[in-house]
Amino acid sequence: MLSRICWILCQEAKVGVIMEERTGGNEYREQRLENLERLKALGYAPYGRAFPRTGRLADVRAGFEEGKQVTVAGRLVACRDMGKSIFAHIYDGTDRFQVYVQKNKIGEDAFAAFKILDLGDFIGLEGELFTTRTEEQTLKVSRFELLSKSLLPLPEKWHGLQDVETRYRQRYLDLVANHDVRELFNKRIAMLREIRTFLFGRGFQEVETPMLQAMAGGAAATPFKTHYNALGCDMFMRIAPELYLKRLLVGGFDKVFELNRNFRNEGLSRTHNPEFTMLEIYEAFGDVNSMKELVQSLITHVAQTVFGTLVIGEGERRIDLTPPWRTVAYRDLIVEKAGDDWYGLDLDAARARATSLGVEVDPAWDLGELTHELYEKTIEKTLINPTFVTRFPVELVPLASACVDDPTVVDVFELEIGGCEVAPAYTELNDPLEQRRRFEEQAAGDASKMDEDFLMALEHGMPPAGGMGIGIDRLMIILSGAESIRDVILFPHLKPKTAPAGGE
RNA sequence: GGAGGCGUAGCUCAGUUGGCAGAGCAGCGGACUCUUAAUCCGCGGGUCCAGGGUUCGACCCCCUGCGCCUCUACCA
């Protein structure tokens, strides 16, 4: 109990220090604390209880009728005091709504109390709807309650909150100050809902598989490591749900998807956040072609229902999502860029050709690696309209089946939109012996990297299947026209401002 | 990890060959019962990111560190 109290005191001290850092002193807070006491003295409890509303502000606006009695609640975001009457705006996340407070309507005491309110305070109001001379729908207030006193000031009303660091670190301020940010996240939420609706409509079932794994497989990324105290062993955050979803195919699920977070121990960038949302879909008895049809329908459905258009952006960044989408083989793209004779060149000639095309060449690379560098550096970013790139070299994709007509390439596509890889899909490898061979090649003799448990599952028989992963954050960037992944994730990762314990 | 840019009031931003630190909004006091970036009168507000150095004097020049942004690297 004592330690609990100490902990609380310690936390409060910390908050105090942070508060001082962020507010540059307590002047504003002191004033608001004084206002809190004054309101209390007038009988307004600073932190109220439930307040039944007629509806959200957007609902009230939609159902506006002259003279209608309503109750509403929201945050006070603007206040124009005219002596014996006040015009103010409240905001509740759905809309801004004007309220009109007159001294002789709500009474002298309540009017005096209203004048003590600070911008940012949550209030509940009751009154009658009317339209002002300038034709703004407004609430004539007959009574108000204080619901929550705000002790720290909000960002400025006109310019909003611009500082990108503050916008990411204190997203709640961004959401209050910049309504378009709220709308963008509403769209993200709507997109996730539409994806689920679409997949449910096609008979897929949503499942949940472990995020905490003894072995992080299904992709080639570095995992986050953590420790499980009760079992005394290290665990990893998953880098992909793939190997568990395939176990479900073995178990008889035939159409499953998982829409949730993956964690990869990589750097931060405009297109990388260490935890990101991935949609993985598996369809038994399907293949890469059924995935192609699925993703094309899924993305056009989302674009149409959530964003209301199949054409995004303008000029060079214009993306046209109208199906059918182009399909092109990896090899054809390479030859188109590097010349018909590329695959016949010896290594030195290929290096020279790549250099002349602007690729920085690592002398350790073989022709395959050099080719892929060429693809990533000069071709991928030019694929603006949706493009299915197919028939990748087998060494790039260890979990996919080979093409029937050519065992050196695999039956996959990578969907590129806006020069960005959005969705890879495979005809999944279900041959356990071939899978073991490829794992062995990858693990290079390190037995601890062999996922024997997964191989055992495969040996019980996995139906042929199509599988696909869609990077939801990147899809959101493309559909919304956002600049950065940090703009489409509510709380993107930034370096901690004060170093956490246990750093290097 | 490497290169470049940025960091000034609660917010948005000016600023100085190196010579007392500025505006708008927000805040405080006052006037105003149809305003909406309300208006009018008056007032307060600063660790100029942090720490060193050069200088009579540094917000400004130099060095180091921290954070953010962009590019790059890592990343199926």
Side-chain angles (χ1 to χ4, degrees):
Chain A
M1 187 57 174
L2 188 62
S3 67
R4 174 78 193 165
I5 290 167
C6 287
W7 184 83
I8 290 170
L9 289 174
C10 182
Q11 292 305 304
E12 284 186 353
K14 262 193 224 161
V15 167
V17 169
I18 291 166
M19 203 84 83
E20 251 181 67
E21 271 174 15
R22 295 206 178 148
T23 60
N26 294 345
E27 189 194 334
Y28 288 87
R29 193 160 177 267
E30 291 301 330
Q31 275 170 4
R32 283 164 179 252
L33 282 168
E34 266 176 45
N35 290 340
L36 182 151
E37 290 303 328
R38 290 167 66 194
L39 283 162
K40 235 193 216 172
L42 290 171
Y44 289 84
Y47 297 100
R49 297 301 183 91
F51 186 82
R53 299 177 288 175
T54 301
R56 297 170 177 175
L57 295 176
D59 304 330
V60 168
R61 190 180 295 291
F64 183 89
E65 279 172 42
E66 207 69 32
K68 187 180 179 184
Q69 285 289 321
V70 296
T71 59
V72 297
R75 201 190 265 280
L76 187 66
V77 291
C79 194
R80 296 175 293 281
D81 181 351
M82 301 182 42
K84 294 187 180 62
S85 74
I86 298 170
F87 281 97
H89 273 93
I90 58 170
Y91 174 74
D92 75 348
T94 68
D95 203 354
R96 276 165 65 97
F97 203 88
Q98 180 166 268
V99 301
Y100 184 43
V101 187
Q102 290 168 294
K103 190 173 186 174
N104 59 8
K105 170 85 176 170
I106 66 164
E108 204 155 320
D109 292 347
F111 192 74
F114 197 92
K115 285 205 176 201
I116 300 170
L117 293 175
D118 288 301
L119 293 185
D121 290 353
F122 279 95
I123 51 178
L125 307 128
E126 185 178 339
E128 173 187 322
L129 296 175
F130 77 108
T131 308
T132 64
R133 277 175 209 162
T134 51
E135 302 205 320
E136 176 158 354
Q137 296 178 338
T138 303
L139 176 74
K140 189 174 288 179
V141 179
S142 55
R143 187 180 71 84
F144 86 94
E145 273 181 37
L146 180 58
L147 300 178
S148 181
K149 188 86 195 73
S150 159
L151 297 180
L152 293 173
L154 295 174
E156 194 230 12
K157 64 183 177 186
W158 185 239
H159 297 94
L161 181 64
Q162 300 294 325
D163 183 80
V164 288
E165 185 174 354
T166 310
R167 288 184 45 221
Y168 299 149
R169 287 194 195 277
Q170 292 175 274
R171 181 70 87 183
Y172 49 93
L173 294 180
D174 194 25
L175 289 165
V176 173
N178 303 324
H179 191 66
D180 55 331
V181 171
R182 172 58 187 262
E183 281 174 353
L184 184 132
F185 283 107
N186 282 345
K187 285 199 168 131
R188 181 181 171 122
I189 291 162
M191 181 173 90
L192 292 173
R193 190 182 59 231
E194 281 304 325
I195 288 170
R196 289 190 162 98
T197 303
F198 177 92
L199 290 170
F200 292 152
R202 289 194 172 212
F204 284 86
Q205 290 176 294
E206 182 171 14
V207 296
E208 297 156 284
T209 67
M211 295 205 186
L212 207 53
Q213 304 180 346
M215 249 187 134
T222 309
F224 284 95
K225 190 174 170 182
T226 185
H227 188 77
Y228 190 169
N229 292 337
L231 300 189
C233 66
D234 287 337
M235 302 285 284
F236 300 93
M237 305 296 289
R238 76 169 175 204
I239 55 177
E242 173 156 354
L243 302 186
Y244 283 92
L245 294 174
K246 285 182 173 169
R247 286 169 169 89
L248 293 180
L249 297 184
V250 172
F253 278 92
D254 64 341
K255 295 170 98 175
V256 294
F257 73 94
E258 182 159 11
L259 177 49
N260 219 313
R261 231 71 61 82
N262 285 345
F263 306 85
R264 295 187 182 177
N265 211 334
E266 297 164 2
L268 299 157
S269 85
R270 211 172 59 77
T271 51
H272 293 80
N273 195 63
E275 56 180 303
F276 61 97
T277 300
M278 178 82 116
L279 168 63
E280 284 209 13
I281 305 172
Y282 289 85
E283 181 177 12
F285 314 112
D287 66 3
V288 72
N289 292 311
S290 51
M291 290 296 113
K292 194 187 270 187
E293 189 282 323
L294 184 70
V295 70
Q296 188 171 287
S297 301
L298 173 61
I299 290 180
T300 52
H301 170 79
V302 165
Q304 200 64 261
T305 53
V306 178
F307 295 88
T309 177
L310 291 180
V311 179
I312 298 148
E314 294 171 356
E316 287 194 357
R317 292 184 57 183
R318 183 188 142 104
I319 298 170
D320 188 349
L321 298 172
T322 308
W325 296 344
R326 178 189 182 202
T327 296
V328 59
Y330 180 81
R331 188 184 173 105
D332 291 343
L333 282 172
I334 297 294
V335 168
E336 187 179 294
K337 182 78 190 178
D340 291 345
D341 56 344
W342 172 264
Y343 283 99
L345 296 176
D346 66 39
L347 200 48
D348 283 336
R351 281 178 187 141
R353 178 79 55 85
T355 305
S356 75
L357 290 167
V359 177
E360 282 185 42
V361 174
D362 184 328
W365 289 338
D366 61 23
L367 187 64
E369 289 166 318
L370 188 57
T371 303
H372 198 58
E373 182 72 7
L374 185 75
Y375 171 76
E376 287 192 327
K377 286 290 144 60
T378 69
I379 298 172
E380 197 171 10
K381 69 179 75 149
T382 67
L383 303 174
I384 304 300
N385 282 336
T387 305
F388 294 111
V389 184
T390 60
R391 300 172 73 88
F392 277 79
V394 62
E395 59 271 19
L396 292 175
V397 193
L399 291 161
S401 279
C403 287
V404 180
D405 61 341
D406 182 354
T408 67
V409 294
V410 282
D411 197 19
V412 305
F413 68 73
E414 279 192 5
L415 173 61
E416 300 280 339
I417 307 179
C420 193
E421 182 192 333
V422 173
Y426 309 159
T427 295
E428 299 295 344
L429 180 62
N430 66 341
D431 175 344
L433 305 174
E434 172 65 8
Q435 181 70 78
R436 174 176 292 280
R437 198 187 61 73
R438 292 198 201 171
F439 271 177
E440 276 168 356
E441 210 171 271
Q442 246 193 343
D446 186 349
S448 72
K449 287 184 180 167
M450 294 290 294
D451 195 335
E452 290 293 345
D453 193 64
F454 172 67
L455 288 170
M456 181 165 70
L458 271 197
E459 295 207 357
H460 285 89
M462 184 182 98
M468 176 164 60
I470 302 179
I472 293 300
D473 309 290
R474 287 183 182 175
L475 180 61
M476 186 65 198
I477 292 174
I478 288 161
L479 294 180
S480 70
E483 295 292 324
S484 163
I485 200 167
R486 291 179 282 262
D487 292 322
V488 301
I489 292 175
L490 280 170
F491 296 101
H493 280 279
L494 300 182
K495 287 192 194 178
K497 266 229 144 147
T498 48
E504 310 243 330

